[in-house]
Amino acid sequence: MRNLIFALLAVAFCLSFNSCKEKSSQVSYEDQKSFSLVIEDSTFVDYLGVLGVIDFNKENNRYLAKDYNYDGQVFVVFDEQGTVINTFDNRVAGSNAYKGSLYGVGFHLDGYMIASGGGVYYYDEDWEVFDIVPDLNTTEPYYNYWHKLMRVNENEGVSYLFLYRGNEESRSLEGIDVYLASPFFGRFDGEMFDQVFKIPKESIYVDRRYDFNLFVSCFAYSNYSRKFYFAFGSDPNLYRYDLEKDPTYPDTVINMNLEYYGMELSKFAAGRKEVFAGALDSRVVNLLEAEGRVFIAYSSAVDHKKFIGRGFSYDNSPEARAYISQEKKFMFAIFEDGQNKLRDADIKGKLGMPWYAFDKNKLLFGAQLLDDSLDGELFYKVKVVLDEE
């Protein structure tokens, strides 16, 4: 969490998409009520690392977290008291190690499930493999920051959806490896098939001038509304898909009307400095959903003129990174599914990244800053309270 902004800045992967050939309805929510984020409880985990919670098991109140220091190689399971139940380190797992790039990880029954380039791996509660569906696909994916494994509850059973792979083209620009890819997802219900999402004409990324802008994709599936939500980096729209009808194109385009959103259209040749310049713009950094509410965390923009006015250039210097980290803020917006939008709130003080939504009024946040003397990770249970309540 402490280095999350820098981690996001390092994700210099750029995607190229096809424009939508079909029309989708567009919704613009109007601000109505303001809200506050109230800390109700905290959980300290005696673990040194950079943990982000991927999944929560409501049956036994356990959390599954990924250590972002090791990019999908180390997972930590802990309870609501912060007690570490077990850890899994794929680098030393031996016969229990998953093969290939990690696509998604989550709880499955009394154990865990991992989808990777080597297949779908089923683990018991002690991280011992008891079943494998091998060789999903050997194609390496474009960068997947979150590694979510989303359950899709259906009448005839359960399937799982995860960021899988894309039709890729790679190139090098002034020493930067740039990947152009379509946002493919994998869907697994005993067998594997591709779930292809085409970005519609409303997206900024159909403009080739955005191809090399810094890019982070966020996604969530709602078993409440049976809708799939996609948000992309600096794109000011939220896209909602109906997987039961047309999963290729969104059925609704939501203009998020983010109060602190900022973006400058760059007319650059996409070199190293131009890629870094995109770090000054707003970014959607996480998307969560629960009971029809959609939660969006995003960063405020840094004024390009103010940045240059302080004598900085578009590079990755320590001075430039430090200035950006000081100027950027995490903002938080809430949308009622198809109804309204609450006013944006500044994530102030102790709170950092929102990691999990328990229900429409309670979330799990990481800590913005952590006292190094604590030697561990701190999480907060936070309640959403309308200000007039």
Side-chain angles (χ1 to χ4, degrees):
M1 279 77 77
R2 297 179 293 279
N3 297 318
L4 185 57
I5 293 177
F6 294 152
L8 292 176
L9 296 180
V11 187
F13 292 85
C14 308
L15 313 180
S16 175
F17 302 107
N18 294 324
S19 62
C20 177
K21 298 179 181 179
E22 299 182 7
K23 293 183 179 180
S24 53
S25 60
Q26 186 158 354
V27 174
S28 295
Y29 293 155
E30 295 182 358
D31 286 347
Q32 293 187 355
K33 300 177 181 179
S34 61
F35 66 93
S36 299
L37 299 172
V38 179
I39 296 175
E40 289 193 323
D41 197 5
S42 63
T43 299
F44 175 76
V45 183
D46 186 12
Y47 176 86
L48 288 175
V50 180
L51 294 182
V53 172
I54 298 178
D55 202 1
F56 177 68
N57 189 330
K58 296 180 180 179
E59 300 297 323
N60 54 21
N61 292 327
R62 291 184 179 181
Y63 299 90
L64 173 60
K66 180 179 77 169
D67 190 334
Y68 279 82
N69 280 333
Y70 301 103
D71 191 28
Q73 295 290 314
V74 177
F75 306 111
V76 178
V77 181
F78 61 93
D79 62 20
E80 293 201 299
Q81 286 71 46
T83 302
V84 175
I85 306 300
N86 56 46
T87 60
F88 175 78
D89 189 337
N90 195 61
R91 300 167 300 172
V92 296
S95 60
N96 293 307
Y98 68 82
K99 305 299 190 296
S101 296
L102 176 67
Y103 299 146
V105 58
F107 287 108
H108 177 74
L109 301 178
D110 294 328
Y112 315 94
M113 177 178 169
I114 287 179
S116 74
V120 173
Y121 294 76
Y122 294 94
Y123 294 83
D124 64 19
E125 59 183 355
D126 297 316
W127 290 100
E128 299 283 338
V129 171
F130 66 86
D131 195 13
I132 302 175
V133 179
D135 299 329
L136 288 187
N137 191 287
T138 57
T139 303
E140 292 296 307
Y142 66 86
Y143 190 77
N144 176 7
Y145 193 76
W146 300 112
H147 298 131
K148 292 180 181 179
L149 187 66
M150 293 164 287
R151 297 176 186 83
V152 179
N153 296 329
E154 300 171 303
N155 294 332
E156 298 180 358
V158 176
S159 62
Y160 295 86
L161 192 66
F162 44 86
L163 190 58
Y164 181 44
R165 65 174 178 82
N167 291 331
E168 292 189 345
E169 173 192 350
S170 64
R171 64 179 75 171
S172 178
L173 293 171
E174 298 184 17
I176 298 177
D177 291 326
V178 177
Y179 296 87
L180 307 178
S182 300
F184 281 37
F185 271 67
R187 191 166 180 174
F188 180 79
D189 59 2
E191 296 183 359
M192 181 69 199
F193 61 92
D194 288 333
Q195 186 81 63
V196 183
F197 294 90
K198 297 293 185 181
I199 305 306
K201 65 181 184 300
E202 291 87 352
S203 173
I204 65 169
Y205 291 102
V206 300
D207 188 328
R208 296 288 302 199
R209 290 174 292 179
Y210 282 110
D211 277 354
F212 302 97
N213 204 14
L214 208 60
F215 194 96
V216 178
S217 60
C218 305
F219 46 89
Y221 178 77
S222 169
N223 280 297
Y224 179 89
S225 63
R226 304 185 72 82
K227 301 288 186 178
F228 181 85
Y229 294 89
F230 225 150
F232 299 94
S234 296
D235 194 326
N237 295 320
L238 176 64
Y239 300 98
R240 190 179 73 180
Y241 296 77
D242 188 336
L243 302 187
E244 297 178 348
K245 295 180 179 178
D246 183 3
T248 305
Y249 297 103
D251 67 350
T252 304
V253 178
I254 301 170
N255 183 340
M256 291 190 285
N257 190 25
L258 301 175
E259 183 177 354
Y260 300 92
Y261 174 85
M263 160 63 83
E264 289 191 12
L265 178 61
S266 300
K267 300 179 180 179
F268 296 130
R272 177 182 295 275
K273 292 183 179 180
E274 285 71 35
V275 170
F276 182 81
L280 277 67
D281 297 322
S282 286
R283 291 288 176 277
V284 175
V285 296
N286 205 0
L287 186 162
L288 303 170
E289 190 281 340
E291 298 179 352
R293 268 190 175 175
V294 177
F295 306 93
I296 293 284
Y298 70 99
S299 62
S300 60
V302 176
D303 190 308
H304 284 247
K305 293 180 180 179
K306 187 177 179 181
F307 178 79
I308 297 296
R310 291 185 61 87
F312 297 123
S313 61
Y314 292 135
D315 56 29
N316 198 28
S317 67
E319 294 81 10
R321 294 199 309 268
Y323 180 77
I324 292 173
S325 68
Q326 292 171 4
E327 291 293 307
K328 278 186 174 288
K329 298 179 181 179
F330 278 151
M331 314 306 299
F332 196 64
I334 298 177
F335 300 84
E336 298 285 356
D337 187 19
Q339 298 296 321
N340 58 71
K341 174 182 182 290
L342 304 181
R343 293 192 180 100
D344 296 13
D346 189 348
I347 302 179
K348 298 178 180 179
K350 299 179 180 179
L351 300 181
M353 175 69 75
W355 288 111
Y356 187 82
F358 300 99
D359 56 44
K360 65 184 301 181
N361 292 313
K362 187 171 294 186
L363 302 106
L364 184 78
F365 276 76
Q368 175 65 28
L369 296 172
L370 183 62
D371 185 345
D372 291 336
S373 65
L374 292 177
D375 292 332
E377 293 289 319
L378 192 61
F379 295 93
Y380 295 102
K381 277 190 176 181
V382 176
K383 185 176 181 180
V384 175
V385 179
L386 298 181
D387 288 346
E388 64 268 26
E389 292 181 349

